[in-house]
Amino acid sequence: MGTTIQTVTPFVEIMDCTLRDGEQTSGVSFLPHEKLMIARMLLEEVNIDRIEVASACISEGEREAVEMICRYAQNIGALHKVEVLGFIDGRKSVDWVDSCGCKNINLLTKGSLRHCTQQLKKTPQEHIEDILDTIHYALSKDIAVNVYLEDWSNGMKDSADYVYQLVDALATTHVKRVMLPDTLGVLNPLQVIEYFRKMKKRYPEMHFDFHGHNDYDLAVSNSLAAVLSGARGLHVTVNGLGERCGNAPLASVQVIMKDLFHAQTNIHEEKLNDISRLVEGYSGIAVSPNQPIVGENVFTQVAGVHADGDSKANLYCNELVPERFGRKREYALGKNSGKANIERNLKELGVVLTPEQSKKVAQRITELGDRKEIVTQDDLPFIISDVLKHAVPAEKVKLISYLVTSAYGLKPLANVKVEINGSRYEADSTGDGQYDAFVKALRKIYRTYLNRTFPILENYSVSIPPGGRTDALVQTVITWRNGNRQIRTRALDADQTEAAIKATMKMLNVFEEQQTP
């Protein structure tokens, strides 16, 4: 018997659960204003279809967050996209959602017989009656209702008749969506296909969502299987946040739907990296460097043979081009770089070297790589200068002297003297830390004496070089933004502030080079 192939390109509705399910990640708790900022970016920039923002009746902080998000969403005409998880608790959850100004409730029901009888201590019919009473009350308050079947995956495995009994009852109501979670992350794609096809065959007109958990690292694969089998909506979280191993990551689900299944979504892909960084900052959960789409290293080629192939015919590129996500491809510099990587980086900088000079630079980069030090493209001019013993680039900004002080109860103070293009300037400033005071003094010099803007600090990373000890050198990598150009420099020193200052002076020399016509 042949397999039926869908010929119509489907539209897949995406609901982001970062602000509800993602907050169940160990150690993650968003403040109300942080929830608002994430919701704003998801709705306005990422263009997500729906957001689940909280659980009802949890705390006053949750109430404040939901009220803020609903006010904002109403102002931009997106209140219909905001949803709150509610419970079968009589009128309590519905009244809570209504009092916050939200117009959508996602009712959590029991999708397996074991959960119904052993957790609720109720018969299926008793649970169904409670569900119907809550749905009817919500609808009477003009609140739209979606229903979760918690533990649906095990329900289909062990008690399919119970699942059908429950959904038969829901089919008689005005529920908008029935949401099918793999609550414990126990399904594989073949099982998802089997169970979804059974649900679609029995309820062909019903809107089903799939909610995948990643315990076996199959949340994304299972999401694809669900859409292949008729799911009209998928649930995701930014960076895959969620309980235990997390949920299906938004970025991965989006690109797989588009590239491998040719499904249509409303997602603005160029904003996926931005929302990832925002959630990373607020959650405190770092994104793995090799996380698909949004990881720091995913558009960085390390092997020289790859750079060589890209320069000839894009032999090592696929549809996941970095520009699609507001990023750019980089060619790492290290012991595996090879000639092609170095040449690509030099070309981007506009630097031309003889073969012998290139060989010397490659040797130095290999030495640094053997010591596990980071080498960025912006470090290249300084490596060249050091290796070839001539000014490439010219040191247009020189640090003459600086003094930073710190005292209990007082803000740190910095006095800075620099030479910029042959002229000397001095300024002092206070800051929230010694380095902050130093940078503010530099900003004052550029603003007061040069009437020029100063690059914007984007990222500041301090670490001990791999293999080092706590009393070894500190490595500082700082990323700045100058218009549409990014500058990233690195410095090593025994003192964290000194390392940051050295990296900043490197940045300023690159910055001045960029100002040259």
Side-chain angles (χ1 to χ4, degrees):
M1 185 174 178
T3 301
T4 301
I5 299 175
Q6 290 180 279
T7 57
V8 178
T9 300
F11 173 80
V12 181
E13 187 180 69
I14 305 294
M15 182 172 86
D16 183 89
C17 308
T18 304
L19 300 178
R20 199 274 301 174
D21 223 4
E23 203 173 30
Q24 292 180 7
T25 306
S26 178
V28 173
S29 179
F30 298 116
L31 296 172
H33 80 273
E34 293 174 338
K35 282 199 168 191
L36 177 62
M37 293 301 101
I38 294 170
R40 288 182 61 171
M41 182 173 282
L42 284 169
L43 291 173
E44 287 201 70
E45 298 186 40
V46 181
N47 201 37
I48 206 82
D49 296 298
R50 298 152 54 203
I51 55 173
E52 190 176 51
V53 299
S55 297
C57 309
I58 296 297
S59 67
E60 285 306 305
E62 286 291 81
R63 176 185 291 278
E64 181 184 355
V66 174
E67 289 175 346
M68 290 169 62
I69 292 170
C70 287
R71 282 196 300 269
Y72 154 74
Q74 186 168 28
N75 288 338
I76 65 168
L79 186 58
H80 62 286
K81 295 184 175 185
V82 180
E83 303 172 11
V84 172
L85 180 75
F87 308 97
I88 307 303
D89 53 8
R91 297 186 172 188
K92 187 177 178 182
S93 286
V94 175
D95 287 341
W96 193 93
V97 170
D98 185 49
S99 68
C100 292
C102 186
K103 305 305 292 182
N104 299 283
I105 189 169
N106 297 337
L107 289 178
L108 187 67
T109 70
K110 299 304 180 181
S112 69
L113 183 60
R114 290 177 67 247
H115 272 227
C116 177
T117 59
Q118 296 182 31
Q119 187 174 37
L120 296 183
K121 306 296 184 182
K122 293 192 175 186
T123 67
Q125 191 56 44
E126 287 174 333
H127 186 39
I128 289 171
E129 288 174 2
D130 291 342
I131 294 169
L132 295 180
D133 286 344
T134 305
I135 290 172
H136 292 149
Y137 181 63
L139 294 175
S140 74
K141 303 283 284 186
D142 197 29
I143 294 176
V145 180
N146 304 310
V147 175
Y148 274 112
L149 305 189
E150 187 182 18
D151 200 37
W152 166 80
S153 47
N154 280 317
M156 291 300 291
K157 282 183 175 183
D158 306 327
S159 51
D161 288 342
Y162 165 80
V163 175
Y164 298 145
Q165 181 184 1
L166 179 53
V167 181
D168 284 347
L170 294 175
T172 65
T173 69
H174 292 287
V175 165
K176 289 183 68 175
R177 304 173 184 87
V178 174
M179 306 188 292
L180 308 177
D182 181 14
T183 304
L184 299 179
V186 297
L187 294 181
N188 64 53
L190 294 179
Q191 291 171 313
V192 173
I193 291 171
E194 177 189 352
Y195 298 153
F196 253 91
R197 286 182 176 176
K198 287 180 178 179
M199 298 294 287
K200 289 298 294 183
K201 183 177 180 180
R202 189 177 178 99
Y203 311 100
E205 301 304 318
M206 193 166 278
H207 178 121
F208 289 117
D209 283 2
F210 178 69
H211 180 103
H213 281 260
N214 206 36
D215 296 70
Y216 283 95
D217 206 17
L218 289 172
V220 175
S221 299
N222 286 340
S223 297
L224 174 61
V227 171
L228 287 169
S229 307
R232 292 163 61 183
L234 294 174
H235 296 187
V236 299
T237 59
V238 177
N239 299 337
L241 291 182
E243 198 165 23
R244 304 185 310 277
C245 300
N247 295 28
L250 165 61
S252 297
V253 167
Q254 164 61 24
V255 298
I256 286 177
M257 288 299 110
K258 182 175 181 180
D259 293 0
L260 304 186
F261 188 45
H262 306 294
Q264 296 180 358
T265 69
N266 287 323
I267 303 299
H268 293 167
E269 293 183 333
E270 69 277 9
K271 296 298 181 179
L272 291 175
N273 191 59
D274 292 341
I275 188 65
S276 174
R277 299 282 80 77
L278 182 68
V279 171
E280 180 182 38
Y282 284 153
S283 69
I285 303 297
V287 174
S288 172
N290 64 340
Q291 176 78 18
I293 313 306
V294 296
E296 178 71 20
N297 295 343
V298 296
F299 297 115
T300 300
Q301 299 280 35
V302 175
V305 65
H306 292 173
D308 180 60
D310 287 350
S311 67
K312 291 174 179 175
N314 288 328
L315 297 178
Y316 292 91
C317 295
N318 54 25
E319 289 187 62
L320 299 176
V321 293
E323 291 76 15
R324 175 177 163 186
F325 309 105
R327 303 181 65 182
K328 70 173 187 175
R329 191 173 303 282
E330 297 181 358
Y331 294 87
L333 297 167
K335 63 182 179 181
N336 295 316
S337 297
K339 178 182 176 183
N341 264 17
I342 296 169
E343 286 182 349
R344 267 190 168 262
N345 281 280
L346 290 173
K347 184 178 180 180
E348 287 189 19
L349 290 172
V351 176
V352 179
L353 300 179
T354 66
E356 184 60 31
Q357 290 172 333
S358 295
K359 184 178 179 180
K360 290 181 179 179
V361 170
Q363 287 174 343
R364 178 58 59 85
I365 290 172
T366 299
E367 290 171 7
L368 291 169
D370 281 334
R371 289 159 52 192
K372 299 184 179 180
E373 293 185 11
I374 296 171
V375 181
T376 69
Q377 185 186 82
D378 293 315
D379 288 326
L380 255 184
F382 301 95
I383 293 172
I384 294 168
S385 179
D386 182 49
V387 170
L388 304 183
K389 306 300 182 186
H390 61 77
V392 182
E395 193 175 7
K396 296 189 174 186
V397 182
K398 298 178 182 178
L399 181 61
I400 305 303
S401 66
Y402 76 89
L403 173 68
V404 291
T405 63
S406 181
Y408 180 75
L410 299 174
K411 278 197 167 188
L413 172 69
N415 176 270
V416 179
K417 294 180 182 179
V418 292
E419 181 179 298
I420 304 174
N421 296 319
S423 299
R424 293 196 174 190
Y425 306 97
E426 180 178 356
D428 51 47
S429 181
T430 59
D432 294 327
Q434 291 180 330
Y435 177 66
D436 183 54
F438 177 85
V439 172
K440 284 182 176 177
L442 285 175
R443 289 186 185 279
K444 184 183 289 188
I445 288 171
Y446 270 78
R447 181 180 65 251
T448 304
Y449 299 110
L450 303 178
N451 194 28
R452 289 168 53 192
T453 58
F454 194 85
I456 298 170
L457 179 65
E458 278 197 339
N459 193 32
Y460 179 103
S461 173
V462 178
S463 64
I464 297 171
R469 303 184 306 276
T470 53
D471 59 351
L473 290 175
V474 173
Q475 176 175 262
T476 304
V477 181
I478 308 182
T479 305
W480 304 79
R481 172 70 59 182
N482 175 29
N484 61 357
R485 300 186 68 174
Q486 191 180 73
I487 305 172
R488 187 166 70 242
T489 51
R490 173 199 57 85
L492 294 172
D493 197 88
D495 179 82
Q496 175 180 324
T497 302
E498 181 71 17
I501 288 172
K502 286 181 178 179
T504 303
M505 299 312 296
K506 284 187 178 184
M507 177 278 295
L508 284 176
N509 276 283
V510 174
F511 175 60
E512 290 300 325
E513 279 293 312
Q514 291 178 353
Q515 310 309 306
T516 304

